[in-house]
Amino acid sequence: MSQIALPLESRSRGGPARIVVGNANSSVVDALRDPGSWPFRTAVLTGPERSGKSLLGLWAATQGVRVIDGADGQEETELFHRWNAAQESGTPLLLIADKQPWVIALPDLRSRLGGSLQLEIGEPDDEMTAQLIEAIAEQRSLSLADGASDYLVPRATRSFAAIERLVVAIDRISLERKVPATMSVWRDALEATHGPEQQSLL
């Protein structure tokens, strides 16, 4: 397990944005480190909400890759022209799409991107979930009491967005009550983000 530090301001209070590298994205990171091996020097990156696609794109851009974030929302003819331009210049091109699957109507673009490297971020396992909780808390300058991972990981939903919502809820409740983020706060944050059914695990 590792992290990639980015020279970016965090959207939340605290330190710089970081990409946690784990089971869900390690193969993606490895591929982004070697754009010279991409078919047609092009890769398409997809993944769940809040999984760090844009952050990975920003990191790839620092490695000399041309990045189009939100490519699935772009006009397809323009995307086709940009693909051709990248081929002519020899510049690696990374297209980031939010929709899964990304349905492309333009036949020429569909055939070109169909032959490109397809990269997909999966869902985090227990180890990566623990690292994500720690990283998001660090970004928010939130100090979690000892045992947080042991308590939260078995109860947290395995999705990037849900993990982020959980840590944000812990931070909010801790600030509102002006108390440290200990088990009583974790419990209430879990109930707030996962619903009353979570109570059976608490």
Side-chain angles (χ1 to χ4, degrees):
M1 189 72 63
S2 61
Q3 293 188 22
I4 299 172
L6 295 171
L8 307 169
E9 292 184 1
S10 174
R11 295 180 188 176
S12 47
R13 57 186 175 82
R18 294 183 180 274
I19 301 169
V20 173
V21 181
N23 73 294
N25 62 4
S26 59
S27 62
V28 171
V29 171
D30 288 343
L32 292 178
R33 286 192 169 112
D34 187 21
S37 68
W38 300 353
F40 305 105
R41 294 184 290 277
T42 304
V44 178
L45 174 60
T46 60
E49 177 189 4
R50 307 301 295 162
S51 59
K53 298 185 297 293
S54 294
L55 286 178
L56 284 169
L58 289 168
W59 174 66
T62 68
Q63 314 301 306
V65 176
R66 184 173 299 169
V67 179
I68 303 177
D69 200 354
D72 50 330
Q74 301 282 322
E75 202 277 321
E76 292 185 358
T77 302
E78 176 62 23
L79 274 183
F80 181 61
H81 291 324
R82 295 179 73 174
W83 184 90
N84 283 329
Q87 298 302 304
E88 292 172 3
S89 67
T91 304
L93 177 65
L94 175 65
L95 303 175
I96 301 174
D98 294 320
K99 296 175 184 175
Q100 293 179 286
W102 177 12
V103 179
I104 301 172
L106 187 66
D108 286 340
L109 180 64
R110 184 169 63 246
S111 64
R112 301 308 192 276
L113 297 188
S116 304
L117 181 63
Q118 305 297 312
L119 302 173
E120 183 176 359
I121 299 172
E123 297 290 1
D125 61 9
D126 285 0
E127 183 180 4
M128 190 174 186
T129 295
Q131 292 289 326
L132 287 166
I133 289 171
E134 293 173 8
I136 298 167
E138 179 183 343
Q139 278 187 1
R140 301 183 69 85
S141 297
L142 170 64
S143 178
L144 296 172
D146 291 343
S149 291
D150 290 342
Y151 184 84
L152 294 170
V153 169
R155 297 166 171 82
T157 299
R158 293 298 176 271
S159 88
F160 291 91
I163 293 165
E164 183 176 30
R165 286 194 296 270
L166 173 59
V167 178
V168 169
I170 292 171
D171 194 15
R172 174 182 55 78
I173 293 169
S174 176
L175 287 171
E176 288 174 351
R177 298 178 183 176
K178 299 180 180 179
V179 297
T182 55
M183 187 177 292
S184 62
V185 173
W186 308 338
R187 182 185 297 115
D188 290 345
L190 280 163
E191 184 170 348
T193 56
H194 290 63
E197 66 275 8
Q198 187 65 34
Q199 191 64 35
S200 62
L201 293 175
L202 305 182

